[in-house]
Amino acid sequence: MKAVCCVCEADVTVPEDCCEGELVICPDCGTELEVVSLEPLTLEEAPQVQEDWGE
Amino acid sequence: MATLRILFTRLRTEEKLLKEAAERLGIPCELQLVSDTVFGGEPFCSQEDVVLARCVSHNQNEAVAQMLETQGIRVVNSSRVMGICGNKLTTSCVLEQAGVPQPKFLVAFTQEGALDAVERLGYPAVCKPVSGSWGRLLAKLNDRESAEAIFEHKSMLGAIHNTFYIQEYVDKGSFDVRAFVVDGEPLCAIARTSEHWITNTARGGSASNMPLDDEVSAILRSVHAAIGGEFLAIDLFKRDGQWLVNEVNDGGEFRNSIAPTGKDIPGAVVEAAWNKRR
């Protein structure tokens, strides 16, 4: 599946079996993107690491 | 039909591996994004289901577990275990009460108190946020001047950082150990090597297999006896021939530990969770 990078508008390939919450990297600008919707396929900049994130 | 529900807010490699393992083992399994879910009121799922809580935010993960437990749903790990592991001070206190060997630690609540604490332990020492992961905001205090600067900065970071957790610095040599305990039994371990004093693989440390011997296995069992939980990732290092438990994680990441150890960590975790169903 193809989506558009919300930062640089490059085409981003997303795995067919992806789900909401999955992360992909834009091949052009390197931005970490999060799949926020499958219908329609929508990408947003992934949130930065928060203080309590981790193991 | 009972289902293993893997809850997440950010789909990491680990959650994918857990889902793949469940499918491989024939365990009915669903990955569920819970970022926009409202918890409370209607039952989240059947009480026959088991929830493997894998939200990347500790506070959210613990809150999700608490809310589901009020509905009689089994959650792995339990919110009680998350509460212990999610706060380094709580972890240390629980280990202390159980007599598990760990580095010396002191706690203070003001910059002056923190300075007093670090000078009692001696330089260098380590200041850690009580909540946090991936080696973030760890500070090695090499002398009084650096300690004063770090404590001043931390005092500006908000209330949680005004609990100053100071740990003695342990010269662990070139490596430390990350071990995995599943269902109370040591499963495997890696040795993490780094030029940097912070050896997390999330920070670039490299991993190799570390065979478990009786001594390490006994310490790992003692940690589980103190804390409980179906899945623990335990960090240890050795000083003067004695193993010390440094940290215990309840939502451990394991992607870098499967290849070196040859162990099916995600398979063991989903089996342990599945075995908790009613």
Side-chain angles (χ1 to χ4, degrees):
Chain A
M1 294 189 287
K2 294 274 188 190
V4 174
C5 174
C6 55
V7 175
C8 73
E9 299 187 343
D11 284 340
V12 180
T13 302
V14 177
E16 291 294 329
D17 61 348
C18 80
C19 62
E20 288 183 24
E22 192 155 344
L23 301 176
V24 292
I25 304 292
C26 173
D28 276 20
C29 69
T31 301
E32 191 174 42
L33 303 164
E34 180 178 345
V35 178
V36 295
S37 165
L38 293 173
E39 296 286 345
L41 182 59
T42 309
L43 306 177
E44 288 184 0
E45 277 191 82
Q48 297 298 302
V49 171
Q50 303 291 311
E51 186 172 355
D52 71 334
W53 280 20
E55 298 182 286
Chain B
M1 183 174 64
T3 301
L4 177 66
R5 299 181 183 275
I6 303 173
L7 308 192
F8 71 95
T9 50
R10 170 173 265 209
L11 193 66
R12 293 170 288 181
T13 302
E14 278 75 11
E15 285 71 54
K16 294 180 183 176
L17 291 171
L18 290 165
K19 176 75 158 57
E20 287 171 13
E23 288 173 348
R24 197 172 64 240
L25 294 167
I27 298 171
C29 178
E30 283 188 22
L31 274 173
Q32 275 186 264
L33 176 71
V34 294
S35 298
D36 298 327
T37 304
V38 175
F39 289 88
E42 293 296 308
F44 177 79
C45 62
S46 163
Q47 290 188 350
E48 293 179 348
D49 294 347
V50 181
V51 164
L52 189 51
R54 298 283 308 182
C55 302
V56 71
S57 155
H58 163 73
N59 291 331
Q60 290 178 6
N61 210 41
E62 187 178 354
V64 165
Q66 287 171 328
M67 291 300 289
L68 297 185
E69 286 165 356
T70 65
Q71 296 181 340
I73 296 164
R74 295 274 172 93
V75 184
V76 173
N77 284 305
S78 69
S79 64
R80 188 190 65 80
V81 171
M82 293 178 189
I84 294 171
C85 297
N87 184 302
K88 293 182 176 65
L89 171 55
T90 309
T91 307
S92 292
C93 292
V94 170
L95 295 180
E96 184 83 6
Q97 286 181 313
V100 176
Q102 61 180 322
K104 291 178 198 163
F105 68 100
L106 295 172
V107 173
F109 303 103
T110 62
Q111 294 180 56
E112 296 74 18
L115 267 178
D116 186 12
V118 71
E119 301 216 325
R120 289 190 200 189
L121 289 173
Y123 297 101
V126 177
C127 184
K128 296 180 171 184
V130 292
S131 176
S133 195
W134 300 333
R136 284 193 314 276
L137 296 178
L138 298 190
K140 186 172 167 216
L141 312 169
N142 290 325
D143 51 40
R144 185 179 177 91
E145 286 76 18
S146 63
E148 285 174 342
I150 286 163
F151 294 149
E152 183 179 6
H153 284 107
K154 288 181 73 71
S155 71
M156 304 288 182
L157 291 179
I160 191 72
H161 293 281
N162 284 285
T163 295
F164 296 90
Y165 176 101
I166 318 290
Q167 189 185 62
E168 68 170 329
Y169 176 76
V170 174
D171 185 356
K172 60 196 175 200
S174 60
F175 74 100
D176 70 356
V177 170
R178 157 63 61 94
F180 297 93
V181 174
V182 181
D183 242 356
E185 276 303 303
L187 177 67
C188 59
I190 57 167
R192 303 184 297 190
T193 307
S194 173
E195 295 295 312
H196 197 278
W197 68 280
I198 299 173
T199 47
N200 299 51
T201 55
R203 296 280 290 262
S206 62
S208 59
N209 187 42
M210 161 89 188
L212 290 171
D213 60 19
D214 291 345
E215 184 185 7
V216 172
S217 295
I219 290 181
L220 297 175
R221 288 194 183 96
S222 72
V223 172
H224 180 264
I227 295 176
E230 286 71 33
F231 177 48
L232 299 177
I234 301 169
D235 297 342
L236 312 100
F237 41 57
K238 204 169 197 178
R239 179 186 56 193
D240 300 332
Q242 187 192 14
W243 286 105
L244 303 172
V245 174
N246 186 34
E247 292 184 11
V248 185
N249 300 284
D250 65 282
E253 293 172 335
F254 48 79
R255 72 185 76 169
N256 296 320
S257 303
I258 298 170
T261 63
K263 292 288 185 181
D264 180 13
I265 300 170
V269 172
V270 295
E271 274 198 314
W274 189 235
N275 289 339
K276 293 295 288 183
R277 70 188 186 282
R278 294 178 194 283

